[in-house]
Amino acid sequence: MKRTLCLSGLLVAVGLVVPAGQEQKPIQHEVSVSLKLIQVYVSGKDGKPAMTLGKSDFRIYDNGQEQTITEFEKHAASGTKPAPQPPVGETLLPTPLPETRLNRKFFIFIDQDANDLEGIAKARAAALHFLDTQVLPTDEVGVFSYSTMKGVVLHAFLTTDHALVREALRRVRDAPGRTVNTGGADTAGNVMTSANGIVVMAAPRAGLSSLRMFTDRMSDLAKALRFLPGYKNILYFSQGAVINGRDGDGLRRLEAMNREFAAANALFYAINTETPNPFPPAGGPVKKSGGELLSFMAKGTGGKAYGEIGAIDVFPDIARDVQEMTRNYYVLGYPVKETWDGKYHKIKVELVSGDYKIQAQSGYNNPKPFSDYSDLEKELHLFDLALSEKPRGQAPLIFPMAAASFHPPGAEIGRVLLLAKLPGAVIDKFDGRSVELVTLILDEQDHTIDRIRLKLKLAEYAGKSLIFAADSATPPGSYRCRIIIRDLETGESAMAYARAAMPAKAAAGLRVGTPLLLTAGGQAIFIGGIDKKNSTWKNFYSFDQSAYSLLSGEIPSGTPKLAAIIPCEIPEGMKASLIWRASLIDSGSGSSRSLPVTVMKKSRGAGSETTLAELGLEGIPSGSYRLYLQAEEETTKAAAYCQMPLLIR
């Protein structure tokens, strides 16, 4: 379905390229000196990258004032084929990226409005081809889509886990060109044109055109992309639109949208996904290509358009072209004074001599306080914290958490419980400040399954033991769980990571749920986003807070024992008691050691039994282990077990 634009016939060029490198900013809002990094692309008369220049060949002007270039890097491709990607694995904590000033960043963007089924299928195949043949192991890649119904949807945030990106692309399968009033399930993803994950606009207001919805939502996204450093190369797959009307307001909106992407240092490489008509009507008017809009967006941001009908069919050539343009560049750096006022600075990069074409940023915005961020900017900042290997803001303070899964009796769907004991360092860090606490439960494609948001004043809990608890219904699958605490004024943060696995509900038989580990401790205060109507976690995981405390992270070496709350599903008719056994498997050597188990308390309900047991750890050396807990019914000898990692230091 084509997006219809009624605009002036002239394409007005917007300033050539875009601001590069929004480096990490200090949290304090005062004048400070930092390094501004600028990516520069230079080509010769033949259009090929010119990579023989040195620092003295360049001049940089910031608001008309020449700057002293103190940093200079040259990034030249050694060949057309990138090195093979290493195996990709999941880690609980972010893995630092290889040392480099500015990794390449690609956003694959599929326009589902201005497209058809064949175009979306070809776009997905082309994007997978780009991942397989052109993307480097250090390249960060993300996936966006656009539809009138949802606006901009984030399917994968910037990541070097390209297997995750590949899976996200395979799942982008919305029906094309759907209007807001039609049915159908949307591809899973995180809606970005929203506040708190809620779609801003479920239906267009009277007189609000699809063009205005498109430009407004895309402009909001561009503003949010500003805080990501370096160039953002957007591979934009669409059938575009024809620019042939008299709508001056529409043209101004498109120009403004282009300026926002230019200010965000985001370049469009726009590829037409339309398939040529093999049987064009004889003698009829020649159909205009939607490539006009694609060219407009590419020129306005400093990218390149492949706008002819059928361009997607020669994508391997396009992919090599994009690779050559984005893999050969210079990085120039100069010191700047940052004043946290959000003002725009005009940038001009020149060459001292030579007949070259230079492509460099046109400007940048000073940083601004986090409290001045828009809802969308705060949303992108949240996902940057939750999903990035290397968050762009100040590194968050990490604290431990536990994630447990269980099936309430009679329920068709299980629940994931998030628990975290907030350490004193976290409470002290945000002393006297207003903060928000956000939980995210993300599936294997990093789509948000559930989110809880609370506003807190941690100063009220100074000197106290504070435990956050929240649970959520989740279908079978593997989940990444996050608890994020953010200062609402500065954006400073603390964060916890854990994984949870929700097995499919068994038809019958004994099953052991995820244990909750405890240590000796005193009274704690529980806070959290508990769904009081549906929450049943306290029936499975309640404990005497005067005797036990939630285990936070590692177990100190020499700890004589720990406790475990173990929920079980009991098949109908099972009446005999459960016998418990425990063992530790050394993760390094594979050796096994039995642990003494003392059952302290049992609680049986309809279809379930919860056991509080103490496990002896005397004589266990420091190391990484897997803890196995096995339940066996006395009469039938039916058995089930669970296992979890254990770190003793």
Side-chain angles (χ1 to χ4, degrees):
M1 172 181 169
K2 287 290 193 299
R3 183 179 296 112
T4 302
L5 307 184
C6 298
L7 304 177
S8 166
L10 294 177
L11 296 180
V12 180
V14 182
L16 246 185
V17 188
V18 292
Q22 300 274 90
E23 64 280 350
Q24 294 185 4
K25 306 300 190 300
I27 291 300
Q28 63 271 19
H29 297 162
E30 59 187 29
V31 176
S32 58
V33 177
S34 63
L35 187 67
K36 179 64 65 180
L37 299 177
I38 311 296
Q39 277 177 292
V40 181
Y41 297 88
V42 182
S43 57
K45 287 183 177 181
D46 58 0
K48 301 293 184 182
M51 299 304 297
T52 59
L53 303 174
K55 180 170 70 173
S56 60
D57 292 309
F58 292 90
R59 299 284 185 270
I60 295 182
Y61 300 86
D62 187 322
N63 279 344
Q65 299 294 315
E66 184 173 355
Q67 305 296 310
T68 300
I69 300 173
T70 60
E71 305 292 325
F72 179 80
E73 291 180 2
K74 185 185 298 186
H75 295 257
S78 57
T80 58
K81 185 177 180 181
Q85 297 185 30
V88 184
E90 166 72 7
T91 56
L92 296 185
L93 297 179
T95 301
L97 295 174
E99 286 299 322
T100 179
R101 282 298 181 88
L102 292 173
N103 290 327
R104 288 197 309 178
K105 297 176 179 64
F106 291 99
F107 278 113
I108 296 166
F109 199 123
I110 298 179
D111 183 345
Q112 295 177 293
D113 252 20
N115 235 319
D116 54 25
L117 284 172
E118 186 174 8
I120 291 176
K122 287 184 176 181
R124 191 164 54 245
L128 292 170
H129 171 84
F130 190 78
L131 280 175
D132 291 337
T133 64
Q134 305 301 332
V135 169
L136 302 171
T138 55
D139 290 342
E140 299 175 69
V141 186
V143 181
F144 280 117
S145 71
Y146 176 83
S147 67
T148 305
M149 174 173 277
K150 276 197 169 183
V152 178
V153 177
L154 174 66
H155 301 277
F157 193 67
L158 287 174
T159 179
T160 56
D161 185 346
H162 300 148
L164 188 149
V165 176
R166 186 173 287 105
E167 182 59 29
L169 282 168
R170 290 194 178 107
R171 291 167 63 93
V172 178
R173 298 181 182 277
D174 276 2
R178 189 172 62 244
T179 65
V180 294
N181 293 319
T182 58
D186 290 298
T187 298
N190 301 299
V191 178
M192 300 307 298
T193 46
S194 64
N196 301 333
I198 302 170
V199 180
V200 170
M201 193 181 308
R205 297 190 299 272
L208 189 62
S209 68
S210 61
L211 169 62
R212 180 174 171 183
M213 293 173 69
F214 175 73
T215 54
D216 285 355
R217 289 166 163 178
M218 293 289 282
S219 295
D220 286 344
L221 174 65
K223 293 173 184 176
L225 290 176
R226 288 180 184 177
F227 87 95
L228 298 177
Y231 273 77
K232 280 74 69 175
N233 302 295
I234 301 176
L235 271 64
Y236 185 71
F237 295 94
S238 174
Q239 295 181 6
V242 176
I243 302 177
N244 61 357
R246 296 178 296 277
D247 186 356
D249 179 67
L251 178 60
R252 285 190 293 271
R253 287 182 178 279
L254 279 172
E255 290 171 343
M257 180 190 76
N258 273 358
R259 285 194 295 270
E260 293 294 352
F261 277 102
N265 203 20
L267 294 74
F268 277 90
Y269 295 91
I271 301 104
N272 195 335
T273 60
E274 186 174 1
T275 300
N277 185 355
F279 306 105
V286 177
K287 179 183 177 182
K288 290 187 176 181
S289 169
E292 289 183 344
L293 175 63
L294 303 182
S295 296
F296 183 88
M297 294 170 68
K299 288 181 180 179
T301 59
K304 185 174 180 179
Y306 307 88
E308 66 276 8
I309 294 176
I312 191 68
D313 294 325
V314 293
F315 184 78
D317 295 332
I318 295 173
R320 287 189 290 270
D321 193 38
V322 172
Q323 171 81 311
E324 188 171 70
M325 287 187 291
T326 59
R327 200 175 168 194
N328 297 276
Y329 59 92
Y330 301 91
V331 176
L332 313 179
Y334 63 96
V336 296
K337 290 183 178 180
E338 295 182 335
T339 55
W340 293 86
D341 57 11
K343 289 185 178 179
Y344 183 77
H345 285 238
K346 185 177 181 180
I347 289 292
K348 185 178 181 181
V349 182
E350 294 180 342
L351 287 171
V352 175
S353 61
D355 190 5
Y356 299 101
K357 178 183 177 182
I358 187 169
Q359 186 172 315
Q361 71 182 81
S362 58
Y364 69 90
N365 288 82
N366 281 342
K368 60 183 179 181
F370 181 79
S371 57
D372 291 343
Y373 279 26
S374 68
D375 286 341
L376 181 56
E377 288 173 304
K378 290 178 180 178
E379 190 82 351
L380 202 61
H381 177 264
L382 180 70
F383 281 103
D384 181 40
L385 285 171
L387 303 178
S388 287
E389 292 98 336
K390 187 178 181 181
R392 275 73 183 175
Q394 189 184 48
L397 177 65
I398 303 299
F399 61 95
M401 67 176 287
S405 61
F406 62 97
H407 266 91
E412 291 300 319
I413 191 168
R415 300 188 76 85
V416 166
L417 168 65
L418 309 184
L419 283 168
K421 183 178 180 180
L422 303 188
V426 171
I427 296 176
D428 294 343
K429 178 183 178 72
F430 299 103
D431 184 32
R433 307 187 199 176
S434 294
V435 301
E436 64 173 3
L437 189 152
V438 182
T439 68
L440 291 170
I441 298 178
L442 306 155
D443 67 11
E444 293 176 286
Q445 287 74 45
D446 281 342
H447 302 148
T448 303
I449 300 300
D450 197 9
R451 177 198 328 226
I452 296 170
R453 190 186 300 262
L454 300 173
K455 290 188 178 180
L456 300 171
K457 288 192 175 180
L458 293 178
E460 300 174 2
Y461 306 101
K464 300 177 181 177
S465 180
L466 185 62
I467 296 177
F468 172 81
D471 69 336
S472 175
T474 52
S478 179
Y479 298 97
R480 294 205 285 176
C481 306
R482 307 287 187 257
I483 298 176
I484 299 171
I485 300 174
R486 286 197 299 184
D487 187 305
L488 295 173
E489 289 295 319
T490 67
E492 283 185 282
S493 60
M495 184 161 37
Y497 295 77
R499 295 219 54 168
M502 178 61 69
K505 185 173 177 60
L510 178 67
R511 184 166 66 176
V512 180
T514 305
L516 182 65
L517 300 183
L518 309 171
T519 58
Q523 188 71 25
I525 298 173
F526 275 81
I527 62 171
I530 301 301
D531 181 348
K532 292 183 171 58
K533 284 187 177 180
N534 299 314
S535 177
T536 56
W537 72 272
K538 287 187 176 180
N539 296 334
F540 296 89
Y541 294 109
S542 61
F543 58 90
D544 182 355
Q545 297 174 35
S546 63
Y548 299 104
S549 179
L550 180 69
L551 176 65
S552 295
E554 304 168 354
I555 301 172
S557 180
T559 299
K561 61 184 177 181
L562 58 84
I565 301 177
I566 318 165
C568 293
E569 286 185 61
I570 304 295
E572 185 178 351
M574 180 179 284
K575 297 180 180 180
S577 297
L578 297 176
I579 299 172
W580 286 95
R581 299 181 181 88
S583 60
L584 278 183
I585 306 295
D586 189 299
S587 299
S589 66
S591 60
S592 176
R593 179 167 179 169
S594 296
L595 300 180
V597 180
T598 304
V599 174
M600 307 300 294
K601 182 180 178 182
K602 289 185 177 183
S603 176
R604 181 168 287 208
S608 67
E609 179 173 295
T610 300
T611 300
L612 171 63
E614 289 187 347
L615 314 177
L617 294 180
E618 290 186 358
I620 303 297
S622 298
S624 177
Y625 301 92
R626 294 206 74 82
L627 171 64
Y628 283 79
L629 294 168
Q630 183 189 53
E632 181 181 275
E633 199 265 341
E634 282 184 309
T635 304
T636 65
K637 303 302 181 183
Y641 75 94
C642 65
Q643 48 110 354
M644 63 190 306
L646 204 66
L647 187 61
I648 301 176
R649 291 203 179 176

